[in-house]
Amino acid sequence: MICKQEEITDITRETINKIQLDKLNTVLKREKERQGFYRDLPERLESLADLKNFPFTTESDLAQKGGRMLLCSQGEIQRIISEQTSGTTGAGKRVFYTEGDCEHTIELFMAGLGEFIYPGSRTMVAMPFSGPFGLGELIAEAIRRIGAHPLLTGNSKTYGELKTILEEEQPDTYVGMPTALLSMLRMCGKGSIKRALISGDACPETVMKEIEKILGTPLWPHYGSREMGLGGAICCQAHEGMHMRENHCIIEIIDKEGNVLPDGQWGELVITTIGMEAQPLIRYRTGDHTRIIPGKCICGSEIKRLDFVRRIDQSQSMREMDELLFQIPELVDCCVRSVGGTKGITAFFTSDNGEELIRNVCAEKNIISLDCRKAEWSDRALYPAKRIIL
């Protein structure tokens, strides 16, 4: 994909570094010319190493001054995604995309999906569909271009509806969030699904192992965010990390003090989106915790790889609860809440033995069991619950 987009025949670290520096300098020049948000930064850098001297861009900057970060006319904007930032009462983040930005994302999705989806495949797309150029729509378009058939499942189907899709449509692949996939597999069975791409949510190790056990194949984790155009890093057949779209995004890992860390060390992911036409961001702090896997991938690519990604502010107790509870094979889904200083749980399970196991966990971990319910097919309005900590 990168060779095609950049019109090159081979990828080396030197080639990628040159592409990144050239594109970064193009962005800096555009900022000066249009008097953009980053207009006070130097117009040109001689080395990528000098990027670490630039200040960070924060979620607050994006929420309050996102309009000033536009480097194109309003008429060129194809899609706007708005999000209320946590803890704020003012304007939320607004991320803008041109048609070219959306096209680059489709091409990235094609590169990732093309590793395990083949012409003629039928793929459940269990992601949000929000209108033209939304996440679900871009994934579906990438699947069509591969020559496969997307099933626009969305993320709000009942288990009864999901079971009908599995039986009638016979999908062989799945794209969606990990815990929702495990819930569906446990409630409905895997049907004809053989392979799955998971994204949109950090995947606890327990959940990943349980899904792979049911499917009998390794998962294909992907990573993306609104700020980097919805798609950022894709898994190759080596299944050893996710390759970053480095021709569109420079990545750094920093510690709590903002110092750049060497490859292999864990910290916060910082991105500079040199390939975004509408709203390039310079040294944007993502709030995501990960590391750059050192060395070349065994697939042969020198493109940098991200390891497991999670939100820095994600509750530790929530991760622990997912790891603990989803070890119970009868558990379909659960909702965890704080109740008077201890945790309460609402759980859906597939057998009476599941209820007993869940109650034993609750007793061991000082959890008040608020509601344990067997998931019955007569309940056609049963939606996958969302695990939350209040």
Side-chain angles (χ1 to χ4, degrees):
M1 180 201 76
I2 291 178
C3 285
K4 179 180 177 182
Q5 290 177 343
E6 304 302 327
E7 299 181 343
I8 56 178
T9 57
D10 192 26
I11 295 176
T12 64
R13 277 311 324 160
E14 292 75 17
T15 302
I16 289 297
N17 290 343
K18 183 179 186 307
I19 290 171
Q20 290 184 335
L21 182 59
D22 289 346
K23 290 192 175 185
L24 175 58
N25 283 332
T26 298
V27 170
L28 292 173
K29 183 178 180 181
R30 290 174 66 200
E31 292 287 348
K32 285 289 187 182
E33 292 173 348
R34 295 183 67 92
Q35 287 296 290
F37 176 77
Y38 299 105
R39 63 188 179 278
D40 294 330
L41 295 179
E43 185 174 341
R44 180 177 178 81
L45 293 181
E46 296 300 324
S47 169
L48 283 176
D50 296 331
L51 180 62
K52 68 178 183 296
N53 299 319
F54 285 1
F56 295 112
T57 304
T58 66
E59 283 193 352
S60 177
D61 292 329
L62 185 55
Q64 297 174 15
K65 304 167 185 175
R68 291 177 53 198
M69 297 177 183
L70 271 179
L71 290 186
C72 67
S73 68
Q74 290 285 347
E76 296 176 83
I77 299 301
Q78 199 75 36
R79 175 79 181 182
I80 303 173
I81 296 182
S82 299
E83 176 189 5
Q84 189 72 21
T85 54
S86 175
T88 65
T89 56
K93 292 187 295 184
R94 302 185 75 205
V95 184
F96 299 81
Y97 311 104
T98 65
E99 183 175 357
D101 292 332
C102 295
E103 182 63 25
H104 285 155
T105 297
I106 291 172
E107 290 172 356
L108 177 76
F109 288 163
M110 289 177 64
L113 293 165
E115 294 285 344
F116 67 99
I117 292 178
Y118 313 110
S121 293
R122 299 177 68 80
T123 304
M124 291 182 72
V125 184
M127 285 292 195
F129 285 84
S130 56
F133 300 98
L135 176 59
E137 287 80 7
L138 294 178
I139 293 171
E141 177 59 22
I143 292 170
R144 292 188 192 98
R145 293 190 190 183
I146 291 172
H149 177 68
L151 304 173
L152 311 187
T153 309
N155 62 342
S156 60
K157 291 284 191 294
T158 68
Y159 291 119
E161 291 168 333
L162 292 171
K163 185 174 177 62
T164 298
I165 292 172
L166 287 171
E167 291 174 346
E168 295 183 355
E169 300 291 345
Q170 294 287 302
D172 52 27
T173 42
Y174 172 98
V175 177
M177 298 183 185
T179 45
L181 172 58
L182 180 57
S183 296
M184 183 187 75
L185 295 175
R186 285 181 169 179
M187 187 66 183
C188 306
K190 77 170 187 175
S192 54
I193 293 178
K194 300 179 178 65
R195 300 170 298 279
L197 180 155
I198 55 169
S199 187
D201 193 11
C203 185
E205 186 176 356
T206 294
V207 173
M208 179 174 285
K209 287 182 177 178
E210 288 297 313
I211 295 173
E212 291 180 338
K213 185 191 303 182
I214 296 172
L215 294 181
T217 56
L219 286 171
W220 299 81
H222 282 205
Y223 168 73
S225 67
R226 295 171 178 86
E227 293 83 359
M228 61 176 63
L230 298 174
I234 60 178
C235 179
C236 72
Q237 294 191 11
H239 292 275
E240 293 192 359
M242 299 172 288
H243 292 278
M244 196 70 203
R245 57 191 293 189
E246 283 200 275
N247 62 324
H248 292 152
C249 189
I250 301 171
I251 55 175
E252 302 171 273
I253 304 295
I254 62 170
D255 61 20
K256 292 180 179 180
E257 287 72 43
N259 302 308
V260 178
L261 296 172
D263 292 356
Q265 294 193 23
W266 294 83
E268 181 178 1
L269 175 65
V270 172
I271 59 174
T272 299
T273 54
I274 50 176
M276 295 295 288
E277 296 176 347
Q279 191 182 38
L281 302 175
I282 296 178
R283 301 204 82 200
Y284 179 78
R285 298 186 65 153
T286 64
D288 290 331
H289 185 262
T290 186
R291 69 171 184 141
I292 298 171
I293 300 174
K296 179 191 284 190
C297 180
I298 62 173
C299 76
S301 174
E302 293 195 47
I303 301 297
K304 289 185 178 180
R305 294 166 290 150
L306 294 183
D307 208 324
F308 176 83
V309 181
R310 67 168 176 83
R311 293 295 294 171
I312 290 175
D313 58 2
Q314 185 182 23
S315 169
Q316 178 68 27
S317 59
M318 175 163 170
R319 294 195 303 277
E320 291 174 348
M321 289 300 298
D322 274 352
E323 292 285 1
L324 182 69
L325 291 171
F326 277 100
Q327 292 179 33
I328 301 171
E330 291 85 357
L331 180 70
V332 174
D333 211 342
C334 62
C335 178
V336 181
R337 294 186 177 92
S338 175
V339 179
T342 58
K343 295 183 182 67
I345 181 173
T346 300
F348 296 98
F349 53 91
T350 57
S351 72
D352 293 336
N353 182 52
E355 179 177 5
E356 181 179 352
L357 291 170
I358 293 166
R359 291 189 182 280
N360 289 340
V361 170
C362 290
E364 292 173 4
K365 299 299 180 179
N366 191 29
I367 299 170
I368 301 172
S369 182
L370 297 179
D371 187 15
C372 281
R373 288 188 285 164
K374 191 171 181 178
E376 301 289 352
W377 281 115
S378 59
D379 186 2
R380 300 288 290 185
L382 181 60
Y383 284 82
K386 297 182 183 299
R387 286 150 304 282
I388 58 173
I389 294 291
L390 299 181

